[in-house]
Every structure is written in C-alpha cells, then in structure tokens.
Amino acid sequence: MPTNRRDFLKTGATAALGLSGFTLISPSVLGKSMGYIAPSDKVNLACVGIGNRGNEIIKALNDTGLCNIVALCDVDMGASQTLEVMNMFPKAKKYQDFRKMFDEMGGQFDAVSVATPDFSHFPVTMMALAEGKHVYVEKPMARTFQEVDLMMAAAKKNPKLVTQMGNQGHSEGNYFQFKAWKEAGIIKDVTAITAHMNMRRRWHGWDPNISRFPNAEPVPSTLDWDVWLSQAQPRGYHKDFHNGQWRCWYDYGMGALGDWGAHIIDTAHEFLDLGLPYEINPVKLSGHNAFFFPMSTTLEFKFPARGAMPPVTITWYDGMDNIPAVPEGYGVSELDPNIPPPSTGQLQPARLNPGKIIYSKELTFKGGSHGSTLSIIPEDKAKDWESKLPEVPQSPSNHYANFLKACKGEEKARSPFEIAGPLSQVFCLGVMAQQMGLKLEFDRETRQIINNPLANQVLAGMPPRKGWEEFYRV
C-alpha cells in the first residue's frame, strides 16, 4: 500500500525503538494527557491573503494550536499590512501568486485559508478544491451567483474535503441558542425579520454622480496588480480599489450586505430553512449609481412558506441615515433629534448596533450580530417565558478550531458550502437588486430571474478574464 514520508518516519521510529526495548508514546496520547499536539499531528496550512482581515484570521487559526503555517501568499507581499504576519512565521514560504504556491509546494499543505477581496475568493477556492485541499474562506463565498454554484459543485465532487465559510457566529452562542430554541418550539411561526447594519463600515465621501472609474495611478512597488485582478476585467490600479476599499465597488465587493449579512441573518437562514428568495425588492437606494454601492439601502427579501412554516420577509437596512423603526419594548436607546421619525411616527434610536429583530406570531426577539444571543422582548414577556427556555449547550470549539478539527476528522464543519452557499447567493441576489435598481422575481425551481432578461444574464456574471477560464470548470 502507498505510504507517505511522514508515515514512513513514524513507522521506522517505532520499529527502531522496539528493537531497543523502548515503548514509543504516540503524540496523540501525549496530546490527550498533557495538552501537547505534535507538529506532525497538526494541519499544514497555506494562507492566501495575509494583510488586514487575513492577519486576524491567520492569528486565530494559529492560536488554536491545531495547525502549522507553512506558506503565506499575498499580492501585496511586503506592504505595511502584511509585514506582521510575515515576521510571525519566518519559516513559511512566501508567494505573491497562489498558482505558483500550489505548483511549487502543493504537496506540503493540507488546507488553505482564503482572505482576499470578495471577488477573488473564487479562483483560490476552486484551485484548492481541485488540488484536494480543505478550504476556509471568508464570507461571502463569492461575488456572483454562478461562482457560488460552482464552488458548491466542486465541494460536492470532493465530499472528503472540509469547507468552512468564515461566519464565526456559526460556532458561538447565537448558533447553539437559535438551534435549541427552534427545536424546543420557542422560535416558531416567524413571519418577518429586520436586519440592520447602520454603523460606519468603510463608507466614503465619493460623489454618487460618478460617470466612470477613477483614473489609474502608479502601482505600488510591493503589489502584483495583475494577480490582484485575477478573473476580473482589466483595469488600472487605484488606491480606492485596494485595502478594504474594494468592498465599496460592485466589481470587487459585496457591500455592507455581503460583509455583515452573514453575521446577522445566518442562523435564521439555516434553521428556518429559508433557502433562496422568490422576490428581492430595493425599497430605498440613496446615492444609487452603476459603480459603487449606495450610501444607504433598504432591501426586502421574500421567502415562501416551507412546509408548516409561514412565508418570511427579511428587510435589510444599511447606511448611517437608514435606521429601522423598533418595536415597543425594544429597550432604551439614545435618540438623535436630528433624525426625523419615520412615517409611522415611531421614534427611532440614533444608533443601533448591527443585529436583527425577529417577529413571530407569538413572540418578538432581539439579537445582535456574530455570536450575540437572542432575547425575548419586551422584558415582561421575557420573564413569562424564562422557565420555558431550554438549556443551550456550550460550543465545543470556536469557528477556526472547528474547521481544523474537521480537517482532522474530529468534528463536522458548521458552515460548510452546502449551508453557506445558499446564504451567499441570497446576498448575490440582493447586490444585483442594488446595482440594477430593480425588483427581481426569482424562480426557486429553475433558479432563474423571470421578470427581466438582462438581470438573468447578470446572474452568471461577466465572462472571466482571458487566462482565468480554467477555474470555471468543475
């Protein structure tokens, strides 16, 4: 039977010690008894995207003690935002092109973390799955509906490979509470959800009357701009396309919805079995233009009845001046006299932390983002239900440890592509409605937009740049 070098060395060492009368204590036994995990029992990890958010992810993965960081890849390798991670792992091999990393040392790592701009999650992930690597990819999975479809198909083709999208709340209190409350019948008959992200998030002072992309600027000496563009159409470098600003542009990012949606509506989407909406309606688009996201947006997502569960409407609010009304008993919030009340006459809080309000036929729930747990409102109602609430189990691992333990066969990933993919496609449809400024009617059976032929073409996204077509084959 075939054997790899690592297994051969283990077997050889055992035989040699046996001949000398010694007993070898395996690293797994040491790990259980002393909290030690031998390097040979860790997941060898290659990291693509190491600055900014990538920096945080790599540290979190490394802090689990379950992986060896063996390769680092970033198109801006050596720029200020990448230096810290480079210095933390001096022995890791360094690359600017992920394709070269796979070519040169693909046999030396088991898994890949992907923390690049939204649009370039796709080619790195597709190559990793094709090369037999487990994948941890930041949210949302990809920028277009079709790309998410291809990523799910690639994962399904390789069922032994672990996939995980980086919505950390799927491994924290929010996940386990929502699951327990749904199973106990506390959360039932949900009809509406308000999801809101009204804090500043890389919003800018750009002119919404923009008529073209900004003029090209000199490319920084540390940056491989051609690889940064990956499958996107050629365009000259500009500082406002880079270092987080990419999130503002339709060509590269998914706006506040793609950024925060997975942290706010993910558990409701999974445990209420929402799937894909049949209608997406852009109620408000302030500063709408064809290039970057509106300054504030209100979107309605309509989901049909599912079995005994009633239809659900999710209303998404983003923007500094686009704060939703809250129900009676929501809680005390500071009020800003400069913000007029909505047409309903209800006062609205000056600031709301990112989160959601879940309306069911009997109860109303208030919750935050990421791992924040839900509470029943108003307070007197919460007291009435206190004795009926089930015990919520503690998470056995955080999101990063869950991924690495899944790679080792010790746990099951909580946000694999079959769960994260449809959620990401909800965002893709929402972004299409934002960009086109149109109500979209979506056939959940045929997976086509039925009220606008042009929108149906946009569903697949632009053809990839020449030389990047290979990533669109499963």
Side-chain angles (χ1 to χ4, degrees):
M1 294 181 65
T3 183
N4 60 34
R5 180 174 178 274
R6 184 185 300 173
D7 291 336
F8 174 79
L9 290 175
K10 286 183 182 178
T11 305
T14 304
L17 289 171
L19 289 171
S20 304
F22 291 97
T23 300
L24 179 69
I25 301 176
S26 72
S28 60
V29 172
L30 284 172
K32 290 177 182 177
S33 62
M34 303 174 63
Y36 169 77
I37 302 175
S40 59
D41 283 348
K42 297 181 180 182
V43 176
N44 287 333
L45 184 66
C47 304
V48 183
I50 71 169
N52 303 315
R53 177 61 183 151
N55 174 303
E56 298 169 352
I57 291 172
I58 292 167
K59 289 177 182 176
L61 288 162
N62 186 62
D63 286 347
T64 66
L66 299 171
C67 65
N68 303 309
I69 309 295
V70 299
L72 299 172
C73 180
D74 197 288
V75 295
D76 209 356
M77 190 67 79
S80 58
Q81 71 270 12
T82 64
L83 290 176
E84 182 181 12
V85 167
M86 290 175 66
N87 292 332
M88 282 180 66
F89 304 100
K91 294 182 180 179
K93 294 185 179 179
K94 315 295 193 299
Y95 295 91
Q96 279 194 286
D97 189 328
F98 70 92
R99 297 167 297 182
K100 185 176 180 181
M101 180 186 76
F102 276 98
D103 288 344
E104 291 189 2
M105 60 175 302
Q108 300 176 47
F109 54 87
D110 313 301
V112 181
S113 69
V114 184
T116 61
D118 292 349
F119 78 101
S120 54
H121 291 172
F122 173 75
V124 185
T125 299
M126 291 296 284
M127 188 165 197
L129 292 173
E131 295 287 331
K133 310 301 180 186
H134 308 295
V135 183
Y136 183 105
V137 62
E138 261 298 89
K139 46 74 200 160
M141 277 171 54
R143 195 188 66 84
T144 73
F145 193 93
Q146 181 208 35
E147 288 172 344
V148 178
D149 262 350
L150 292 170
M151 291 165 79
M152 287 193 289
K156 189 174 182 180
K157 184 179 179 181
N158 299 278
K160 292 184 178 179
L161 297 179
V162 175
T163 58
Q164 181 100 304
M165 187 175 79
N167 48 338
Q168 305 95 297
H170 249 63
S171 292
E172 297 174 10
N174 175 37
Y175 176 91
F176 293 95
Q177 182 204 39
F178 204 112
K179 184 175 186 292
W181 283 18
K182 170 68 166 54
E183 291 172 350
I186 307 299
I187 300 175
K188 65 177 181 179
D189 296 329
V190 173
T191 58
I193 300 173
T194 295
H196 48 87
M197 207 302 285
N198 309 105
M199 298 171 63
R200 182 169 293 281
R201 181 66 173 176
R202 296 193 183 92
W203 297 122
H204 45 74
W206 304 341
D207 182 3
N209 295 316
I210 185 173
S211 59
R212 59 180 177 82
F213 284 101
N215 293 329
E217 297 176 341
V219 179
S221 60
T222 55
L223 175 62
D224 188 328
W225 180 244
D226 185 72
V227 178
W228 188 95
L229 284 169
S230 61
Q231 81 275 25
Q233 297 304 305
R235 182 166 294 119
Y237 166 83
H238 191 277
K239 65 180 183 302
D240 283 333
F241 297 150
H242 195 27
N243 280 336
Q245 293 288 65
W246 51 262
R247 197 180 299 281
C248 304
W249 302 91
Y250 288 116
D251 279 14
Y252 308 125
M254 296 284 282
L257 177 62
D259 189 16
W260 281 83
H263 294 314
I264 295 173
I265 67 173
D266 59 339
T267 47
H269 184 268
E270 178 178 353
F271 294 120
L272 298 181
D273 193 25
L274 292 177
L276 297 173
Y278 67 86
E279 183 177 301
I280 309 94
N281 185 23
V283 176
K284 177 180 180 178
L285 300 172
S286 296
H288 178 263
N289 65 86
F291 298 91
F292 57 76
F293 284 86
M295 305 305 286
S296 57
T297 295
T298 304
L299 289 172
E300 285 182 347
F301 297 88
K302 295 185 179 181
F303 299 86
R306 291 99 46 232
M309 292 184 284
V312 176
T313 297
I314 296 180
T315 307
W316 168 265
Y317 295 82
D318 69 43
M320 296 286 286
D321 61 346
N322 191 30
I323 301 169
V326 297
E328 185 177 352
Y330 178 88
V332 177
S333 296
E334 178 187 357
L335 297 176
D336 185 344
N338 297 314
I339 300 178
S343 58
T344 60
Q346 294 175 276
L347 290 174
Q348 50 190 343
R351 290 186 62 187
L352 288 176
N353 287 324
K356 62 261 186 183
I357 306 164
I358 300 173
Y359 299 89
S360 71
K361 291 180 179 178
E362 186 172 4
L363 295 173
T364 303
F365 307 88
K366 176 176 72 172
S369 67
H370 293 69
S372 301
T373 53
L374 298 172
S375 58
I376 296 171
I377 55 174
E379 190 175 348
D380 57 351
K381 194 79 167 179
K383 290 179 180 178
D384 292 342
W385 281 79
E386 195 170 2
S387 62
K388 305 174 189 177
L389 300 178
E391 183 177 350
V392 177
Q394 294 292 314
S395 176
S397 55
N398 69 25
H399 210 48
Y400 310 99
N402 174 236
F403 168 68
L404 294 169
K405 287 185 175 184
C407 294
K408 290 159 60 69
E410 298 172 3
E411 291 186 1
K412 183 179 179 180
R414 297 187 194 101
S415 190
F417 286 1
E418 63 262 31
I419 291 174
L423 175 64
S424 294
Q425 289 181 319
V426 171
F427 306 145
C428 292
L429 291 169
V431 166
M432 282 184 59
Q434 281 181 291
Q435 184 172 17
M436 302 187 76
L438 297 171
K439 180 176 79 171
L440 304 179
E441 296 176 6
F442 183 79
D443 188 317
R444 288 163 44 109
E445 297 297 322
T446 64
R447 298 166 65 80
Q448 299 287 300
I449 293 170
I450 57 176
N451 69 320
N452 189 295
L454 175 60
N456 200 48
Q457 293 179 26
V458 174
L459 197 65
M462 291 286 290
R465 186 163 62 114
K466 185 176 180 180
W468 292 80
E469 300 91 346
E470 64 177 294
F471 301 105
Y472 289 79
R473 293 188 284 268
V474 177

